[in-house]
Amino acid sequence: MSGDGQLLAARSNAAVYTFILIAIAVLVAILLLYIVLKKMKKTPSFSEWKTKQKDMPTKRANVTALAQAAKLTEDEIELLWTICRRYRLTNIEYLYKDNKTIDPAFKDYYRELSRGKENDEIIRNLFSLRYKMEKLRASKLYLTSTKRIAEGTEFNYFADGRKFIFTLTDKDEYGCWLKCPKLLSNSQFKPEPLAKINISFNLKQHVTFGLTIRVIRYETRKDGEEYLFFNHNDHLIPLQRRIAKRLDVSSTCTFSAVDVIYDGENKAVYKKKEKSYQGHLMDISCGGCKMSSSMPIKDGQLIHIDIVYEDKLDLHLFGKILRTGRSKINAEYVLHIQFINIKTSVQNTIYAFVYNYL
């Protein structure tokens, strides 16, 4: 064979080898793709995996993960683990957001503990744990605009210790319409048009949001009811920053000045003075309360306060005025009070009232 013929044959063989190698590479790629697709078909989707994880019983690792996120103490961790096992709760990393399932378990365990003796510290840890879980849930909610608030939601408005409840009836692209409470319409506490007011509302998850709105206008409709209109607001603030859960209330209370007497060990003993005055309770927590009064009480002053609320609370406590604010509408003062010398058992009673466990 001539030189040209050998060269042509070599080129032909090289092309054949190249074709064979390409064909083999394609076949390998197809085979690998087939294996991957087959494996993916057998592997559950993320949503399926997540659903399966939610329905699994709570494991110690789930409690540990939640404890890190909620910054639980060692006592609170052990208590949560006990509750999860006792009530056979599903994966607590997901379930802590479900108040309808969590709350009955905590309520039942509280009532069992309250029937026993010397359980005050455990009960206090129970409520501390419950509140930390609520704060964690609140931190995961991303409600940022009034456009997403459901119709029928109730809004709380406080004016000098009086609580007024508005109801969101309808909304449009520009703002919201709130049905005004009848007691407000003809009272001195009715906000003027263009006035700025602070209101709050609760979600079904028991998380409270606050916002500041400007009253644009009022409108009386065919049903004879008065409605308030405000523009949409994109600055909703979760109100879960307190050390203890606080409940808005509206009830009369009485308070008195306090004498401080020192015993032989130079220990302060508080004694309630006989003369009492009327106030209006605005909110309460295990650590303190807020009330309004016409009395100009200075910051730092000690008082004794008597709180009776329906058949649930009958409290007689000493407190210290942390700060006093003056109303712009009338002569009343708003007092922020910190309870002092309060027993753990009494704190637990207030906690149970706030969570509606009584």
Side-chain angles (χ1 to χ4, degrees), residues 139-348:
S139 69
K140 303 297 182 182
L141 293 174
Y142 296 100
L143 183 63
T144 58
S145 174
T146 52
K147 295 179 181 179
R148 298 178 57 191
I149 302 175
E151 294 179 2
T153 298
E154 293 184 341
F155 287 77
N156 299 317
Y157 168 60
F158 287 88
D160 295 297
R162 279 41 174 194
K163 179 180 179 181
F164 300 95
I165 300 177
F166 294 83
T167 304
L168 176 61
T169 56
D170 53 287
K171 54 187 177 180
D172 55 30
E173 59 180 314
Y174 301 106
C176 300
W177 285 100
L178 302 180
K179 183 179 179 180
C180 300
K182 292 183 178 180
L183 292 176
L184 180 67
S185 294
N186 297 318
S187 75
Q188 60 180 323
F189 304 111
K190 178 181 176 181
E192 295 291 334
L194 301 182
K196 285 187 176 182
I197 61 173
N198 296 318
I199 58 177
S200 63
F201 64 94
N202 297 312
L203 297 182
K204 292 181 179 179
Q205 297 91 337
H206 290 249
V207 177
T208 302
F209 283 83
L211 66 155
T212 300
I213 65 169
R214 185 184 295 278
V215 180
I216 302 301
R217 65 180 183 275
Y218 291 95
E219 177 182 285
T220 301
R221 297 184 178 177
K222 294 180 180 180
D223 59 4
E225 302 288 348
E226 188 173 36
Y227 293 79
L228 178 155
F229 180 80
F230 69 90
N231 291 330
H232 281 304
N233 190 305
D234 295 329
H235 301 285
L236 309 185
I237 304 173
L239 303 179
Q240 290 281 10
R241 299 175 181 176
R242 300 183 183 272
I243 297 175
K245 186 178 178 70
R246 186 175 295 262
L247 180 68
D248 291 335
V249 294
S250 181
S251 176
T252 57
C253 62
T254 58
F255 64 95
S256 308
V258 172
D259 283 325
V260 182
I261 304 172
Y262 292 90
D263 60 17
E265 298 178 356
N266 203 32
K267 183 178 180 181
V269 178
Y270 304 116
K271 184 179 179 181
K272 169 187 174 183
K273 290 187 177 182
E274 291 186 6
K275 188 173 183 179
S276 61
Y277 308 89
Q278 183 169 309
H280 194 91
L281 187 67
M282 301 169 64
D283 66 32
I284 188 170
S285 75
C286 71
C289 66
K290 182 169 66 176
M291 60 170 272
S292 63
S293 168
S294 59
M295 295 291 295
I297 305 178
K298 296 180 180 180
D299 295 358
Q301 187 168 334
L302 301 178
I303 67 169
H304 181 276
I305 182 169
D306 298 298
I307 300 172
V308 179
Y309 191 86
E310 298 176 350
D311 60 345
K312 297 181 178 181
L313 290 181
D314 188 1
L315 306 174
H316 309 279
L317 302 167
F318 291 101
K320 179 180 180 180
I321 307 298
L322 295 182
R323 66 181 185 276
T324 302
R326 187 71 182 272
S327 168
K328 295 181 180 179
I329 299 177
N330 56 29
E332 291 194 343
Y333 297 82
V334 178
L335 314 177
H336 299 262
I337 303 166
Q338 179 185 40
F339 297 140
I340 56 176
N341 287 2
I342 181 172
K343 295 181 179 179
T344 301
S345 59
V346 177
Q347 287 184 316
N348 290 339

Side-chain angles (χ1 to χ4, degrees), residues 43-65:
T43 303
S45 65
F46 176 75
S47 60
E48 292 174 333
W49 176 85
K50 188 175 181 180
T51 300
K52 186 177 179 180
Q53 289 295 312
K54 283 183 178 181
D55 296 335
M56 293 287 288
T58 294
K59 299 178 181 179
R60 182 74 188 204
N62 303 130
V63 173
T64 301

